Amino acid sequence: MRTIALFIDDAAAARMALQPLIQTTDPGRVVLVACVPKLSRHVGRFVSNAGREQYRQRWARDLFSELQPLWSTAPRGMVETMIAKAPLEVIVQRMKVHEGSELVAIDARKAALEQARLDQATPAQRAARRWLIPAFITTGLGIALAISE
């Protein structure tokens, strides 16, 4: 039996990746691994370990509740959930030891999907995006200078 570990951090991106997996005729097991965003440095230093764990649990519960309608029609035991508490490489290695070589790990986090989309862009599109940031910086600088005068 094939096991797919789907690393997610956004409900919309997870829907796109999860829907084809659930609708396939090949029975398998899908493990949704919630990759909780880190607390900012300023907030994180005032939060205890118990508070961090509560934050992880609450964030993952909200994410999984948004995705629940997708897998509610799937056979029981097909979709499992878990929260990432270590770097992804460590989690994948632990899961491979536990699940065996049948594990397929898919990084469906929002940043990874956007990076894959950028990699598929044509050279002209990449060149246009490259100038996007400097244009915003110079425009913002021009506005700041105009306001200060």
Side-chain angles (χ1 to χ4, degrees):
M1 185 166 165
R2 183 181 64 170
T3 301
I4 299 172
L6 192 63
F7 294 93
I8 57 174
D9 66 350
D10 181 59
R15 270 189 207 96
M16 290 190 312
L18 185 61
Q19 205 160 20
L21 293 176
I22 291 178
Q23 292 175 352
T24 186
T25 58
D26 181 26
R29 200 174 102 203
V30 177
V31 180
L32 295 177
V33 183
C35 301
V36 181
K38 292 182 179 179
L39 292 172
S40 70
R41 181 180 62 140
H42 301 290
V43 172
R45 65 180 165 179
F46 297 111
V47 179
S48 67
N49 287 337
R52 288 177 201 273
E53 187 59 32
Q54 285 179 340
Y55 164 71
R56 280 190 203 105
Q57 294 290 332
R58 185 173 45 249
W59 189 90
R61 184 177 53 240
D62 292 344
L63 177 66
F64 293 144
S65 68
E66 285 184 50
L67 297 174
Q68 177 68 36
L70 277 179
W71 78 73
S72 61
T73 59
R76 186 172 177 86
M78 182 182 173
V79 178
E80 297 176 14
T81 60
M82 110 183 232
I83 301 172
K85 296 182 183 177
L88 295 187
E89 297 84 21
V90 174
I91 294 171
V92 169
Q93 290 302 321
R94 287 179 189 165
M95 289 179 81
K96 280 192 178 189
V97 167
H98 188 262
E99 302 295 332
S101 62
E102 291 292 316
L103 178 75
V104 176
I106 301 173
D107 190 359
R109 295 176 296 165
K110 190 175 182 178
L113 293 176
E114 287 176 358
Q115 184 61 39
R117 187 179 52 103
L118 289 177
D119 291 344
Q120 293 175 352
T122 64
Q125 290 172 331
R126 282 189 223 138
R129 269 193 211 100
R130 183 179 52 189
W131 290 104
L132 217 65
I133 294 172
F136 283 131
I137 292 172
T138 57
T139 303
L141 183 61
I143 291 172
L145 289 173
I147 291 174
S148 67
E149 291 182 16

